[in-house]
Amino acid sequence: MPIWKGIVLGFIQGLAEFLPISSSGHLVILKEIMHVDLGGGGMFFDVMLHFGTLLAIFVAFWKDIRRLIVEGVHIIGDVFANIGIWFRGFVTKERRYRRIVRSSYRKFVMLIIVSTIPTGIIGYLFKDTVELAGTMVIVPGICLLITAAFLVIADLADDGEKRPKDASYLNATLVGISQGIATMPGLSRSGTTITACLLCGYEKRFAVKYSFIMSIPAVLGAVVLELKDIGEVSIPKADIPACAIATVISAIVGYLSICVMMRLIQGKKYRIFAVYCALAGALTVGYAVLS
């Protein structure tokens, strides 16, 4: 693969991952148009592009992520402490447990954990289906049309007020399910999960932040699974430079896209993306049918 193709794919990944227009769908379409075929290394290439946008999330939300990591470690410590208290209770006949969720950030951690569970289950069960869908151009076309409908719903949703302390674990489960479904190429992960957050009553800025940060465990899991099988990856050595450059480009453009999304969420401006997804989906379906 020429380096210029890696640059184009990295740019599209960074742009479309956070703008609600589906990075996976655009990658499938562009690979078809540009005749990019990495063989067995195609999935590895896609995962590395997602790793680039993962770095963008860490840079954009580092203060929140650092706090979440710290509170997550403390939660684990308190869980083990409570287990020790339970055992000591057989001797002391008294058990005063530590309260696990006692701050907004701890609730944020728990919400992300709850959301990740259905995402992981759906991703594992339908991994082969998603990979197969990625080989058929008509699938992202149809899913882009569905994304357009989701974005219209997001535009029409009432402004919510829920922050971490107000969100329920049922809300987190529903958002996690939406993220699992959005692994289908053409379904925008950010558009689908932000729409789910808004329908659950999340405050706008928190909905965007939650959508982006909750993707970290899912992307990390995919990266680990791919790296586990890296010895079996058949990506040509000549394509490695393009892959590396694409990853860097996706990180830089991804960070800029996050900044844009945090501004767009202040107003109801999803309709323009809905129109774009509807047009792109219709053209893709037409191309797939006529080709």
Side-chain angles (χ1 to χ4, degrees):
M1 178 175 62
I3 289 178
W4 73 267
K5 290 186 179 181
I7 292 174
V8 171
L9 293 174
F11 180 86
I12 294 301
Q13 167 65 23
L15 186 69
E17 176 68 15
F18 301 113
L19 298 184
I21 55 177
S22 176
S23 61
S24 59
H26 280 74
L27 289 178
V28 171
I29 296 167
L30 281 175
K31 285 179 182 178
E32 174 73 16
I33 294 174
M34 297 193 300
H35 305 291
V36 174
D37 184 9
L38 296 174
M43 181 60 68
F44 176 77
F45 178 74
D46 291 348
V47 168
M48 290 310 296
L49 290 183
H50 280 87
F51 181 70
T53 48
L54 181 66
L55 294 177
I57 296 174
F58 270 92
V59 173
F61 297 107
W62 174 241
K63 289 183 179 179
D64 289 298
I65 293 171
R66 180 179 59 186
R67 183 76 181 274
L68 290 170
I69 292 173
V70 170
E71 292 300 334
V73 171
H74 288 167
I75 286 174
I76 294 173
D78 284 347
V79 167
F80 279 103
N82 283 343
I83 293 174
I85 291 170
W86 183 78
F87 279 110
R88 287 198 300 271
F90 290 106
V91 178
T92 63
K93 305 302 181 182
E94 182 180 1
R95 294 186 177 97
R96 291 188 178 183
Y97 296 108
R98 296 182 183 181
R99 185 180 176 187
I100 303 297
V101 183
R102 55 174 183 264
S103 69
S104 292
Y105 270 98
R106 287 198 173 198
K107 181 67 174 297
F108 199 166
V109 171
M110 296 304 297
L111 290 171
I112 291 174
I113 292 173
V114 171
S115 290
T116 300
I117 294 172
T119 296
I121 293 173
I122 294 172
Y124 178 78
L125 292 177
F126 296 97
K127 181 176 182 291
D128 293 338
T129 302
V130 172
E131 289 185 8
L132 179 61
T135 64
M136 298 181 290
V137 176
I138 194 170
V139 174
I142 294 172
C143 287
L144 279 168
L145 295 174
I146 297 173
T147 295
F150 284 163
L151 294 177
V152 171
I153 294 172
D155 241 10
L156 297 175
D158 295 330
D159 294 344
E161 298 181 351
K162 288 184 180 179
R163 303 285 294 173
K165 62 184 180 64
D166 307 308
S168 69
Y169 294 120
L170 176 59
N171 293 153
T173 301
L174 295 175
V175 175
I177 291 173
S178 72
Q179 180 171 245
I181 294 172
T183 55
M184 288 295 292
L187 276 182
S188 167
R189 194 205 64 80
S190 62
T192 303
T193 54
I194 290 173
T195 299
C197 286
L198 293 176
L199 291 178
C200 287
Y202 285 27
E203 185 267 334
K204 286 181 179 179
R205 286 184 64 86
F206 177 59
V208 174
K209 182 184 295 187
Y210 189 84
S211 170
F212 292 164
I213 293 179
M214 73 177 284
S215 71
I216 293 176
V219 175
L220 278 177
V223 170
V224 169
L225 287 176
E226 279 299 310
L227 291 180
K228 177 177 65 67
D229 299 326
I230 193 170
E232 303 173 7
V233 172
S234 59
I235 184 169
K237 291 184 179 179
D239 293 334
I240 293 178
C243 179
I245 292 174
T247 302
V248 174
I249 294 296
S250 70
I252 296 172
V253 177
Y255 174 78
L256 297 176
S257 297
I258 291 174
C259 295
V260 170
M261 275 300 295
M262 295 306 290
R263 290 181 178 273
L264 287 177
I265 194 63
Q266 297 307 310
K268 295 193 171 183
K269 300 179 180 178
Y270 286 126
R271 201 155 298 182
I272 186 172
F273 294 112
V275 172
Y276 170 80
C277 288
L279 290 175
L283 289 173
T284 302
V285 171
Y287 170 82
V289 171
L290 296 176
S291 62

